[in-house]
Every structure is written in structure tokens, then in C-alpha cells.
């Protein structure tokens, strides 16, 4: 997979992940860099512990999908939100991942996310 960053936004050039039952999936590093991905247009770390995910399929409605996310760093709690007001725009194919430490303070974390 080829990946890169432009102005703080990580993007994927090619999908090479084998995830036949997921519409989209990614492993994201704590700085927002995409490590592996399928169906992800971009990831942007907007603040510590806050990441905007833009899914490649413009017709994907995250509000009608099952999103699953897992924090891959020690002592991190993860939350996924979508819709207007979440800080990542109002497009139907975007979601926001928030990660915090055990005290509830926003903190960066590696994470995985999948859309079913």
C-alpha cells in the first residue's frame, strides 16, 4: 500500500487490505497516519485524541452502518461519532474518532476502525 500526508491529512493511494466482510477498515497511527486501509479516503488528526475519518464511498451512510473501533494503545478509551456537530463536517460518509486516557483527557492513540 502506498500512503502519504499532505497538510496534516493522511491519505491512501491504494487499498491492499484483505477484509472481505468490511465496507471499510483501517489501522491508524496516533499521529493520524494510515497504516493499513480499505475504503478510507483520508484520516486527519485535528487535535490530540481527535481524528476525522473520510470514507472513500461517497454513498456510504455511516449512520446506517455498524462502526466498530478499538484503541490499540495502553489505557485508552475510544468513541466514534458521526453527523453534524461532531467537528468533521456533515457528509454522510465521515466519522470522528475520539480517544482519551483513563482520566478522560483527550490523548492520542493508535486505533482500528471498521464499517460493516
Amino acid at each position: 500500500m502506498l500512503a502519504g500526508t499532505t497538510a496534516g491529512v493522511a491519505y491512501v493511494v491504494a487499498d491492499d487490505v484483505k477484509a472481505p466482510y468490511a465496507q471499510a477498515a483501517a489501522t491508524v497511527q496516533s499521529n493520524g497516519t494510515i497504516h493499513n486501509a480499505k475504503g478510507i479516503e483520508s484520516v486527519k488528526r485535528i487535535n490530540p485524541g481527535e481524528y476525522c475519518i473520510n470514507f472513500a464511498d461517497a454513498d456510504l451512510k455511516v449512520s446506517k452502518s455498524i462502526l466498530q473501533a478499538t484503541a490499540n494503545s495502553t489505557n485508552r478509551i475510544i468513541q466514534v461519532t458521526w453527523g453534524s456537530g461532531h467537528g468533521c463536517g456533515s457528509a454522510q460518509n465521515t466519522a470522528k474518532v475520539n480517544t482519551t486516557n483513563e482520566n478522560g483527557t483527550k490523548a492520542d492513540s493508535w486505533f482500528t476502525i471498521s464499517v460493516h
Side-chain angles (χ1 to χ4, degrees), residues 1-48:
M1 173 181 71
L2 300 173
T5 59
T6 301
V9 178
Y11 61 92
V12 176
V13 177
D15 290 341
D16 65 350
V17 173
K18 303 289 188 249
Y21 302 109
Q23 295 181 66
T27 300
V28 180
Q29 297 176 18
S30 59
N31 64 1
T33 299
I34 299 168
H35 183 69
N36 290 311
K38 171 190 174 181
I40 304 291
E41 180 71 28
S42 65
V43 176
K44 182 176 182 182
R45 180 185 171 274
I46 56 173
N47 288 306

Side-chain angles (χ1 to χ4, degrees), residues 1-112:
M1 173 181 71
L2 300 173
T5 59
T6 301
V9 178
Y11 61 92
V12 176
V13 177
D15 290 341
D16 65 350
V17 173
K18 303 289 188 249
Y21 302 109
Q23 295 181 66
T27 300
V28 180
Q29 297 176 18
S30 59
N31 64 1
T33 299
I34 299 168
H35 183 69
N36 290 311
K38 171 190 174 181
I40 304 291
E41 180 71 28
S42 65
V43 176
K44 182 176 182 182
R45 180 185 171 274
I46 56 173
N47 288 306
E50 297 182 9
Y51 306 87
C52 292
I53 314 292
N54 184 26
F55 299 100
D57 182 354
D59 293 326
L60 176 68
K61 294 180 181 177
V62 295
S63 64
K64 303 289 184 185
S65 302
I66 297 171
L67 278 72
Q68 181 177 5
T70 303
N72 295 357
S73 298
T74 305
N75 298 323
R76 294 294 187 259
I77 300 165
I78 193 164
Q79 174 193 33
V80 182
T81 60
W82 60 86
S84 60
H86 67 31
C88 293
S90 60
Q92 67 183 4
N93 66 328
T94 61
K96 182 178 180 190
V97 171
N98 296 300
T99 56
T100 61
N101 63 21
E102 64 275 11
N103 297 320
T105 303
K106 296 273 174 94
D108 291 334
S109 177
W110 276 64
F111 63 90
T112 57

